[in-house]
């Protein structure tokens, strides 16, 4: 062992890919690149369609919500926890 160090000047002549720490450092960026490629592939295969007139539909939804009287949070929460009194008696 001492003779090998004397001949090589204390250097390790192994190639860089034979060191475990190199792969440990590279594992994170490689995983991110692979995940990015998969994400792009999924996005290109299944694009989300943009609805036509989405702005007008949103305004309509807001108008319908404003027409109803919105409950304060406590009343809405309490109402959600109570059973429906005006429904059919057989259903629960």
């Amino acid at each position: 062992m001492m003779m090998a160090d004397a001949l090589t000047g204390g250097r390790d002549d192994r190639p860089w890919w034979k060191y475990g720490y190199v792969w440990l450092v590279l594992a994170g960026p490689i995983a991110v690149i692979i995940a990015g490629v998969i994400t792009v592939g999924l996005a290109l295969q299944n694009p989300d369609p943009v609805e036509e007139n989405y702005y007008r539909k949103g305004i309509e939804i807001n108008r319908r919500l404003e027409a109803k009287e919105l409950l304060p949070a406590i009343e809405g929460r309490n109402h959600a926890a109570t059973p429906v009194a005006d429904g059919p008696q057989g259903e629960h």
Side-chain angles (χ1 to χ4, degrees), residues 7-47:
L7 292 175
T8 61
R11 291 185 332 217
D12 191 0
D13 287 336
R14 293 187 299 169
W16 63 270
W17 62 85
K18 297 238 179 177
Y19 292 95
Y21 288 116
V22 171
W23 294 109
L24 183 66
V25 170
L26 291 177
I30 289 171
V32 169
I33 291 170
I34 291 170
V37 168
I38 291 171
T39 302
V40 167
L42 288 173
L44 291 175
Q45 284 179 354
N46 306 316

Side-chain angles (χ1 to χ4, degrees), residues 49-62:
V50 177
E51 221 175 290
E52 297 214 12
N53 296 325
Y54 66 91
Y55 185 75
R56 289 185 182 162
K57 288 182 181 180
I59 289 175
E60 268 309 306
I61 290 170
N62 288 337

Side-chain angles (χ1 to χ4, degrees), residues 61-76:
I61 290 170
N62 288 337
R63 283 187 187 146
R64 280 187 268 148
L65 287 175
E66 289 173 0
K68 297 178 185 176
E69 187 174 326
L70 299 178
L71 294 174
I74 299 255
E75 288 180 34

Side-chain angles (χ1 to χ4, degrees), residues 75 77-85:
E75 288 180 34
R77 183 199 61 189
N78 290 342
H79 177 69
T82 56
V84 178

